Amino acid sequence: MLELRNITRTYELGGERAGVFGVSLAVAAGTVAALAGPSGSGKTTLLQVAGLLDVPDEGEVLLEGRLISNLPERERCALRLERLGFVFQSFNLVPVLDALENVMLPLQLAGRPEARERAEHLLARVGLADRRHHRPGQLSGGQQQRVAIARALANDPKVVLADEPTAALDHAHGEPLLDLMARLARETGAAFLIASHDPMVLDRADEVHRLRDGRLEAAP
Ligand SMILES: Nc1ncnc2c1ncn2[C@@H]1O[C@H](COP(=O)(O)OP(=O)(O)OP(=O)(O)O)[C@@H](O)[C@H]1O
Ligand SMILES: [Mg+2]
């Protein structure tokens, strides 16, 4: 589903080269892959390349076998909206919109007339039907992240990219969230790539890729 081939994206800082170097990995449809590694090992850098938010210096991103990393910005933008879903550590919900409106947003941007019905269906799937008219500030961290997951799934993405999705949550809220993502991966067929050093994420992933100093460690 998602394939990264030999991705290099480096930053030059004070004579030092940081970033990711020659990383290749694939995430199959309907599975959860974890991207593990210490702080600064390149997880966010790699996710940004995979999510077409950044362009690699070298290497290729393929979605369903199609090369997408070299497309013009306008097409990459359309793919981000229609084929990719994003979940961030800090939820990134729009504070003045309620849960339902937050989930409707990408549907409306994609011009889907059934935005409201679909957003209601998605909120029900993440167990928040009764909270649809609450704004982010009226929801717990775990509930906000469930809204963010519903929003990420709005346009039926092929790939969901999550950067430390449980980092702002305690164990009691993080665990059900991961179970939810694993279940949604299976049910929707989306490929989930989750960057985290949270052992709960690594336990639940179908596959774990470990980064160290920007390079993938050999599988144990
Ligand atoms: N915009 C940037 N400019 C310069 N250097 C950067 C930039 N973004 C990342 N880096 C460097 O690239 C390396 C990888 O950073 P990255 O954010 O990908 O790590 P990470 O694994 O996500 O870390 P964390 O677990 O702390 O989020 C680090 O050494 C970082 O300093
Ligand atoms: Mg990071």
Side-chain angles (χ1 to χ4, degrees):
M1 180 61 62
L2 172 71
E3 196 182 341
L4 304 179
R5 282 191 192 157
N6 219 13
I7 298 290
T8 294
R9 170 68 170 105
T10 59
Y11 304 101
E12 194 83 50
L13 259 192
E16 240 181 275
R17 258 179 111 216
V20 294
F21 306 89
V23 174
S24 299
L25 62 85
V27 191
T31 70
V32 174
L35 190 57
S39 182
S41 60
K43 302 182 295 296
T44 297
T45 302
L46 194 64
L47 278 192
Q48 288 188 331
V49 170
L52 305 183
L53 295 163
D54 192 11
V55 183
D57 305 327
E58 280 171 54
E60 299 171 335
V61 181
L62 291 94
L63 184 64
E64 301 179 289
R66 173 183 171 213
L67 181 61
I68 58 169
S69 46
N70 64 346
L71 295 171
E73 172 57 21
R74 205 175 50 83
E75 283 176 56
R76 293 193 296 133
C77 188
L79 278 174
R80 283 199 297 270
L81 177 65
E82 289 161 14
R83 289 282 172 268
L84 306 174
F86 296 89
V87 178
F88 302 94
Q89 172 176 344
S90 51
F91 322 137
N92 288 15
L93 300 173
V94 182
V96 296
L97 301 181
D98 69 21
L100 186 65
E101 292 164 337
N102 266 282
V103 180
M104 285 171 66
L105 210 52
L107 292 157
Q108 291 168 325
L109 284 173
R112 293 178 61 167
E114 78 287 24
R116 176 170 293 267
E117 293 71 39
R118 176 149 176 82
E120 284 186 350
H121 165 76
L122 285 162
L123 279 179
R125 273 184 97 162
V126 300
L128 286 176
D130 57 337
R131 301 295 160 101
R132 63 187 179 282
H133 294 307
H134 289 229
R135 287 191 301 277
Q138 300 168 320
L139 296 168
S140 74
Q143 289 168 340
Q144 289 182 61
Q145 200 58 307
R146 272 146 66 196
V147 175
I149 291 168
R151 180 184 58 181
L153 291 171
N155 286 319
D156 276 319
K158 298 294 170 195
V159 172
V160 176
L161 302 163
D163 198 357
E164 312 269 2
T166 59
L169 305 173
D170 59 27
H171 189 90
H173 287 102
E175 198 165 28
L177 201 81
L178 291 167
D179 290 335
L180 176 70
M181 285 197 271
R183 179 167 64 77
L184 289 169
R186 285 195 304 277
E187 288 176 5
T188 65
F192 276 63
L193 180 59
I194 307 180
S196 182
H197 26 225
D198 184 341
M200 285 192 300
V201 175
L202 310 190
D203 283 350
R204 279 170 176 75
D206 298 298
E207 215 166 337
V208 178
H209 304 281
R210 290 178 195 281
L211 279 174
R212 181 169 293 276
D213 298 331
R215 292 172 207 280
L216 222 45
E217 288 184 352

